[in-house]
Amino acid sequence: MLAVDFPCFYLYIATMDAELTALDQKIAQLVELCQRLRAQNSELRQKVAALEDENKRLRDRMAKARARLEALVERLPEEIP
């Protein structure tokens, strides 16, 4: 028959239980962090998309303004008397 030292066994069980509880808490923190990072990532992706749209709109405006200026320059006389 196997002899069990009950005080040591219970100490082992208590230690293991504490370690599992700590691990469970760390996993919960990791899950929470992951969820926050996913939300932040989504928000940043939306901001990037909005800024890219704004950048394109401004580039288009610049191109139109450049074309208008070039047309105006073409209409200027070569020499002013």
Side-chain angles (χ1 to χ4, degrees):
M1 184 169 208
L2 182 63
V4 177
D5 184 2
F6 285 105
C8 285
F9 179 73
Y10 287 121
L11 179 61
Y12 174 76
I13 294 294
T15 302
M16 184 185 296
D17 189 48
E19 289 174 357
L20 287 173
T21 299
L23 182 59
D24 186 49
Q25 291 171 348
K26 287 180 182 179
I27 290 171
Q29 290 173 348
L30 184 59
V31 167
E32 182 182 330
L33 175 62
C34 185
Q35 290 171 342
R36 282 196 323 261
L37 290 175
R38 284 179 190 264
Q40 184 182 26
N41 190 19
S42 176
E43 181 182 323
L44 290 172
R45 286 179 187 273
Q46 290 174 358
K47 286 181 181 181
V48 165
L51 289 171
E52 286 174 342
D53 289 343
E54 177 71 5
N55 191 13
K56 182 184 181 312
R57 187 182 68 78
L58 291 173
R59 277 190 315 231
D60 291 344
R61 283 183 63 193
M62 291 283 293
K64 288 177 184 176
R66 184 181 303 111
R68 284 195 309 253
L69 284 173
E70 288 172 356
L72 286 173
V73 168
E74 291 294 321
R75 291 181 20 200
L76 288 175
E78 289 294 323
E79 283 187 30
I80 300 176

